[in-house]
Structures are given as C-alpha cells and as structure tokens.
Amino acid sequence: MRDEWAAKVAALGGGPGRGERSGKAPITVARIMDAAFGLVETEGFDALTMRRVAAALQTGPASLYAHVRNKAELDELLISDLCARVPVPEPDPAQWTEQMLTICRALRDEYLRYPGISRAALAAAPNSLDALRLSEGMLTILLAAGVPPQSAAWAIDAAFLYVSAYCFEVSLRHDPGSGVDQRVLDRDALVERYRMLPADTFPSTVAHIRELTSGEGHERFEFTLTALLGGLAPGSSRPRSATGE
C-alpha cells in the first residue's frame, strides 16, 4: 500500500492524466468508471457490483480485474473522480464561510447525482489525492481566515462526514427509477403522528410540531453547515477535549 501511495504522489509531477486515457484497449479504467457511474445513476449504489459493470461492458468480471483490483478500489476511484470535479477557490479571508459552503454544496450535488454513492466515501480510507486536494483547499481557506489549525482540522472532518451522511440519508428515501421520494413517512403523516402524542408527556414536541417538521430543499443542509462554521472563531484557542484537557 505504501508503494501504491508513493506512485500516486509521483504521478502528480507528470505523466498521462485521467483525461488522457486513450480507450484503444477494449477495456480501460475510464470505461469501467463510466459504466459504474451509469449504473449507480440509474439504479443506485446498491446495484453496483463488478459483475454488473462487466455485463454493461459486455465482458466477464475477470476482464475488469486487470484494471481494477476489486469493488473497494472501484469505489475509491469513483469517489476520487467526484472530488476532482469540485473546484476549490483561492482563499479569501473576507469570504471564507461562503467559500467553505460552496465546496460542500458542490460535493453534495455530485454525490446526489449518484444515489447512495456517498456510502463509499464514508467507508473510504484517506487514499485519494483528489479528496485530499479538497481537504487541502479547505484547510488553506480556514487558516487564511485565522481559524486555529486544530479547529480547522476537526471542522473539515466534520464537514466531510456531514455531507456524506446527508447524501446517504437522501439516497435511502430515493427511488432511482422513478425519482420519487420514498421516505417512510411524508411530512403530513409525521405531523399527524406528532399531534397524536399526549401533550403532558411531550409538551415541547407538541408545541413545536411546525419547527420540527419544517425545511424545504436543502435548508437543513445549509443550516447545519452554517452552524458548524459559525462556531469557528478565528483567532480563538483550540477546542477543548471531552475531558476538558
């Protein structure tokens, strides 16, 4: 694994990039990834297997292993490709919050295009230079704004985790075939359940049903990340641990 990582780093200095793959061979990494993305986009991440990708390319699974070792490596390639699509702005200390939100929104939109794929991001090790490019960009933005390094590091980790979890939750309610929201309870049904609760046992819940069930589109996404970033006071001391140390 160390040699593979070293090869990835060395490749940053030159050599053919992903966009230069020729496609002369019957099977290429680029074609495998295109087939995998197409499968996830139409059927969801649960449908993605090496066998299904091979079928889409009209070949056998063994033909893929010369280019992609296994499903885990394919997942890593897909997440890396999505991260590579997200632009990172030059740091602007006056706009650091909006710059962070812009990166998170762009990554969210890439994940949501392929239902369930963010599950792979939740399971992935820090083995993608494209993902680390986003982390590096976000860290640079926060440091330029005066956020302490420890706070910046933990905030980036929390932001990546939230974006992935948010997109995965959305995918659990989404039917790729119909595009219909398949959540177990729609808002009206949830409101009705809350209204059935005894007010003497759940006084706060019953009193605030509207707030508990509110939110359109990505409003909750925006709220959560804005709240997270709002806790980063540039120039403050590093966050205290759970033990107060």
Side-chain angles (χ1 to χ4, degrees), residues 50 54 59-68:
M50 297 295 278
T59 187
S63 300
L64 306 186
Y65 294 121
H67 307 278
V68 179

Side-chain angles (χ1 to χ4, degrees), residues 6-7 10 35 50 63 103 121 138 166 195 197 228 232:
M50 297 295 278
S63 300
I103 293 172
M138 295 168 79
Y166 176 89
R195 285 176 175 166
L197 294 172
L228 169 66
L232 300 178

Side-chain angles (χ1 to χ4, degrees), residues 2 22-23 25 30 35 52 54 90 97 106 130 137 147-148 154 166 172 174 182 190-191 197 199 216-217 230 237 241:
R2 184 179 185 279
S22 64
R52 290 293 306 278
E90 288 295 322
T97 300
D130 290 310
V147 176
W154 287 4
Y166 176 89
L172 295 176
H174 183 77
Q182 298 293 314
L190 186 58
V191 167
L197 294 172
E216 301 293 338
S237 61
S241 69

Side-chain angles (χ1 to χ4, degrees), residues 231-245:
L232 300 178
S236 65
S237 61
R238 69 180 179 87
R240 294 171 63 86
S241 69
T243 60
E245 299 176 352

Side-chain angles (χ1 to χ4, degrees), residues 81-223:
D81 191 87
L82 295 182
C83 289
R85 302 178 190 181
V86 177
V88 176
E90 288 295 322
D92 180 355
Q95 300 291 328
W96 69 272
T97 300
E98 184 59 30
Q99 287 187 325
M100 290 289 291
L101 288 171
T102 297
I103 293 172
C104 291
R105 291 171 188 140
L107 185 59
R108 174 202 68 198
D109 292 344
E110 291 296 339
Y111 284 165
L112 291 181
R113 180 179 172 186
Y114 304 98
I117 203 167
S118 63
R119 188 197 318 169
L122 288 167
N127 205 34
S128 163
L129 291 176
D130 290 310
L132 285 177
R133 178 188 66 88
L134 291 186
S135 178
E136 167 72 13
M138 295 168 79
L139 181 59
T140 304
I141 288 169
L142 293 178
L143 294 178
V147 176
Q150 182 68 83
S151 297
W154 287 4
I156 291 167
D157 181 65
F160 276 125
L161 179 62
Y162 178 70
V163 172
S164 298
Y166 176 89
C167 295
F168 180 51
E169 182 188 35
V170 171
S171 75
L172 295 176
R173 307 192 306 250
H174 183 77
D175 178 3
S178 66
V180 174
D181 189 332
Q182 298 293 314
R183 73 185 75 196
V184 177
L185 292 175
D186 62 20
R187 183 175 300 172
D188 290 340
L190 186 58
V191 167
E192 184 62 27
R193 284 199 173 189
Y194 282 158
R195 285 176 175 166
M196 294 172 65
L197 294 172
D200 57 343
T201 304
F202 301 95
S204 296
T205 298
V206 172
H208 298 287
I209 292 174
R210 182 180 63 82
E211 290 83 0
L212 289 169
T213 58
S214 64
E216 301 293 338
H218 297 303
E219 285 182 345
R220 290 185 177 226
F221 179 90
E222 295 284 323
F223 170 84

